[in-house]
Amino acid sequence: MLDDKDGLILETVKRAHRIKSSTLYDEELKMYIQTVFDDIDRLGISIKPDDARLVNLCVLKSKGYFGNSSPDVKQLWLTMYNEQLKLVYMDGRRCSDAV
């Protein structure tokens, strides 16, 4: 299971949502970040916590669920999340130890 020990992913997600100093939404955003970690774990993807693709996935997923944007905009973010997750999954299948 991955984790965001230093809160770097959370801080990046907050910046993406234009949240500056408030901690009001931290628990909700952490929940969305955790769902990304769960997706990665469920799919057996090996990715480092400091990988930019992981941060990108967290931003995309949180933008798909957080806030009061129109449903069409949220669906666009979730579609981008799913497409990026597929790419990360496919990249992980090309391991250096593959025959």
Side-chain angles (χ1 to χ4, degrees):
M1 174 78 61
L2 295 170
D3 60 31
D4 187 19
K5 292 178 192 168
D6 302 322
L8 299 174
I9 294 174
L10 176 61
E11 289 307 312
T12 303
V13 168
K14 286 172 69 172
R15 278 195 309 274
H17 287 283
R18 309 298 190 264
I19 300 170
K20 295 190 185 235
S21 61
S22 175
T23 58
L24 182 63
Y25 304 108
D26 284 7
E27 291 306 311
E28 183 178 357
L29 294 173
K30 285 179 186 178
M31 180 180 63
Y32 301 138
I33 291 168
Q34 185 60 50
T35 63
V36 173
F37 292 167
D38 292 344
D39 287 346
I40 287 170
D41 189 46
R42 180 176 42 81
L43 292 171
I45 297 171
S46 178
I47 190 168
K48 295 180 181 178
D50 60 346
D51 192 317
R53 297 174 303 166
L54 175 61
V55 177
N56 183 44
L57 287 169
C58 291
V59 168
L60 293 173
K61 182 105 175 197
S62 67
K63 284 192 171 257
Y65 288 112
F66 183 77
N68 56 3
S69 303
S70 72
D72 292 343
V73 173
K74 287 179 177 265
Q75 186 56 50
L76 177 63
W77 287 111
L78 290 175
T79 299
M80 288 190 294
Y81 169 78
N82 288 320
E83 291 299 317
Q84 289 301 311
L85 185 62
K86 287 178 197 173
L87 292 173
V88 171
Y89 176 74
M90 291 183 344
D91 283 347
R93 295 180 53 87
R94 289 179 288 183
C95 299
S96 58
D97 62 344
V99 178

